[in-house]
Amino acid sequence: MSLFGDGLDAAVQKAFTRPAPKSAGAQMRYLVKQLKGTKPVAQMLRISQRTVERYVKDQIKKPRPDLAARLEREVKKRWQPQIRAKARQQAATTGGIVIDTRARIGYTAPIGSTDEDRLRHLTVALTPRYAARLFKAQEQGATEQRLKEIAAEALKEVYFQDGGRRAGSLEEVRFTDIEHLEFDL
């Protein structure tokens, strides 16, 4: 489970104009239509082609919990790609992204400052530049650690340094022990 990647996906999914298919049969039919056949769907979900055909015909209605989770994840990953792209583009160019987190946050600064890590609950609107960097890194398959570094850098500039108006000597922000993380467009 990727906390940052899943959080970014959830933020984009809030922009959907229609709900994704809920039943297993409808989800299978959608995937079969997207991937143009039952064989690629069967390979992707690691089940038999005949099982996919049974779901499509509604002969099987309730998948195992692990299959249901894979099925839902794959459908949501492909659902409304144009709206997903439009939401990301808007966040990356004009809107920015809001990060709501409860985590242990500290920083590295010159001697004499109170740079001790402490638990903070922050809700900060990040600039479109950081939204673009987060989405681009996610699309390129960046690790969870890399997404965390970008978010920490964004918090450093937007929250701690207030866009360059204070804490100019701040060197690095530590973002650890994340209890809650949510993004919103």
Side-chain angles (χ1 to χ4, degrees), residues 16-33:
F16 287 168
T17 57
R18 292 179 319 188
K22 297 270 188 256
S23 73
Q27 289 174 334
M28 279 295 181
R29 285 188 288 277
Y30 175 75
L31 287 176
V32 167
K33 186 176 179 183

Side-chain angles (χ1 to χ4, degrees), residues 69-145:
R70 284 195 313 261
L71 189 57
E72 185 175 347
R73 187 177 58 245
E74 293 299 329
V75 167
K76 283 192 173 178
K77 193 185 332 180
R78 291 169 174 76
W79 188 248
Q80 292 191 329
Q82 292 171 331
I83 290 176
R84 180 187 311 265
K86 188 176 179 181
R88 286 178 179 217
Q89 181 67 29
Q90 184 176 359
T93 56
T94 57
I97 193 167
V98 176
I99 182 172
D100 179 39
T101 185
R102 181 168 167 78
R104 187 161 300 281
I105 301 174
Y107 50 86
T108 305
I111 296 173
S113 64
T114 57
D115 60 353
E116 182 92 16
D117 290 10
R118 67 176 192 231
L119 200 59
R120 300 174 195 249
H121 182 208
L122 302 176
T123 302
V124 179
L126 304 179
T127 61
R129 182 177 66 136
Y130 283 107
R133 284 185 59 195
L134 281 166
F135 285 132
K136 185 174 182 179
Q138 183 190 26
E139 286 173 14
Q140 293 174 347
T143 63
E144 184 75 4
Q145 182 61 35

